[in-house]
Amino acid sequence: SDEILQSSPSLIIIDGGRDEGIKSLDLCKKIREKTHQNIKIIFTDTLHQKEEILSSGADLYLPKPYDLMDLFQWIYKLLD
């Protein structure tokens, strides 16, 4: 997570993945805790744990499967 924050991104997309879901939630929490920058976080996952994902600091939960154009629209909205 430190490497991510050093590059000062405007937006991060975290793919929770089936086996990496817990680690991904921890990553989301660490990003929120360690930065004062206004980094937007989109979290995608198949497990549909919306409440847990949003409470970990994600700005948007995008359940899989999703349409790629929907993802692009959300990116534009969050960065506008």
Side-chain angles (χ1 to χ4, degrees):
S1 65
D2 291 333
E3 295 147 2
I4 293 169
L5 299 177
Q6 288 175 358
S7 64
S8 300
S10 298
L11 184 135
I12 296 172
I13 299 172
I14 298 175
D15 183 353
R18 182 160 292 195
D19 298 327
E20 298 295 320
I22 301 299
K23 291 179 186 176
S24 299
L25 286 173
D26 289 341
L27 174 62
C28 190
K29 289 176 188 175
K30 286 179 184 176
I31 290 169
R32 283 291 175 233
E33 291 169 0
K34 290 188 173 190
T35 184
H36 300 291
Q37 303 165 1
N38 189 20
I39 298 173
K40 301 295 183 187
I41 300 174
I42 296 175
F43 199 109
T44 69
D45 202 345
T46 57
L47 300 177
H48 306 295
Q49 298 171 321
K50 182 178 180 177
E51 295 299 321
E52 191 173 355
I53 289 168
L54 293 176
S55 67
S56 73
D59 294 290
L60 173 70
Y61 164 62
L62 193 58
K64 289 182 184 178
Y66 56 83
D67 184 67
L68 204 50
M69 291 309 295
D70 289 341
L71 175 62
F72 293 147
Q73 287 176 344
W74 278 111
I75 290 171
Y76 292 131
K77 282 182 185 180
L78 290 172
L79 294 179
D80 188 20

